[in-house]
Amino acid sequence: MTRTAPQFLFDFGSPNAYLSHLAIPAIGQRIGVKFDYVPILLGGIFKSTNNKSPAETLAGIKNKREFHAVETERFIKRFHVQPYVWNPHFPVNTLNLMRAAIAAQLEGVFEKYVEAAFHHMWREPKKMDDPEIAAKALASSGLDAQRLFARSQEPEVKARLIKNTEEAVARGAFGSPTFFVGNEMFFGKEQLREVEEMVLEGGE
């Protein structure tokens, strides 16, 4: 049987999506299937589902933020990934970055773009919703940022990001990172273990 490629629905604005991105290559090697990265707009998902970011939902709740930090430490140790560097400009409006991700798919530089955008959000954090700063950062990573941002304004690109986001909500998504194995949905970086198990069970 052919194993089902898991889908990774992501937005660069999510630090947990970044940690998932770091963990995914080793998982992909173990399961023998490459993850399918699907750019979505987290702000659009929040609006459609009346959800809020963890920064808002954890605020003022005793012990919950602390547990979230413990859970993240466990994830970092389990998957042998580097912790993110908190972006001092958070929350960052990722609309243009996510549109440019669609443009990067069309331009054939998607993987390089994803790596660079995550890097400049959560490894060497910058104010990536400032067009000049974002363009300079992406150019420093060897990308034609001007071309990608120009193409990101095309109606086809905008429509595809909207479609990805609407389809995600229709399938049950309410945040990022979200994963799908076939029609089975998993939410949160901690669910990557279950994603791995399901792919292996389904392909044996």
Side-chain angles (χ1 to χ4, degrees):
M1 285 179 66
T2 302
R3 288 177 178 164
T4 302
Q7 289 183 309
F8 171 39
L9 279 58
F10 74 98
D11 183 305
F12 297 119
S14 165
N16 289 320
Y18 170 66
L19 291 178
S20 300
H21 168 68
L22 295 182
I24 279 171
I27 297 170
Q29 279 195 321
R30 286 196 296 270
I31 62 178
V33 179
K34 195 171 183 179
F35 278 66
D36 178 20
Y37 278 55
V38 181
I40 50 92
L41 186 64
L42 191 51
I45 285 184
F46 283 170
K47 191 173 181 180
S48 295
T49 60
N50 199 30
N51 194 9
K52 295 180 175 65
S53 73
E56 292 179 85
T57 58
L58 299 182
I61 301 176
K62 185 175 176 61
N63 297 332
K64 195 170 182 182
R65 185 185 293 276
E66 289 78 4
F67 174 72
H68 188 73
V70 169
E71 205 171 40
T72 296
E73 279 301 313
R74 289 175 182 157
F75 181 91
I76 287 165
K77 288 176 182 175
R78 179 181 299 120
F79 291 99
H80 309 290
V81 297
Q82 288 185 305
Y84 56 79
V85 178
W86 183 253
N87 193 313
H89 308 288
F90 186 89
V92 175
N93 185 327
T94 57
L95 176 60
N96 288 329
L97 283 179
M98 298 316 301
R99 284 175 175 170
I102 302 288
Q105 286 181 322
L106 299 173
E107 291 287 324
V109 293
F110 183 60
E111 288 186 16
K112 187 175 183 179
Y113 176 83
V114 168
E115 197 65 46
F118 268 133
H119 178 86
H120 295 294
M121 276 290 296
W122 300 110
R123 175 59 38 209
E124 295 180 21
K126 300 169 182 69
K127 186 171 171 51
M128 293 296 282
D129 50 7
D130 181 312
E132 286 187 20
I133 291 173
K136 187 176 178 182
L138 294 169
S140 76
S141 295
L143 290 156
D144 187 343
Q146 299 298 341
R147 181 177 177 84
L148 290 173
F149 282 134
R151 189 152 193 191
S152 73
Q153 298 305 306
E154 293 178 2
E156 176 196 357
V157 169
K158 293 179 179 180
R160 188 179 293 193
L161 181 61
I162 291 170
K163 184 171 183 282
N164 284 358
T165 304
E166 289 178 344
E167 286 181 351
V169 172
R171 294 174 75 189
F174 52 85
S176 174
T178 294
F179 307 93
F180 282 96
V181 180
N183 292 320
E184 293 287 330
M185 188 183 96
F186 302 86
F187 174 73
K189 64 186 184 298
E190 290 75 24
Q191 294 289 305
L192 272 169
R193 286 179 297 173
E194 281 71 19
V195 169
E196 182 172 351
E197 284 177 11
M198 176 157 280
V199 173
L200 290 172
E201 288 169 6
E204 298 298 350

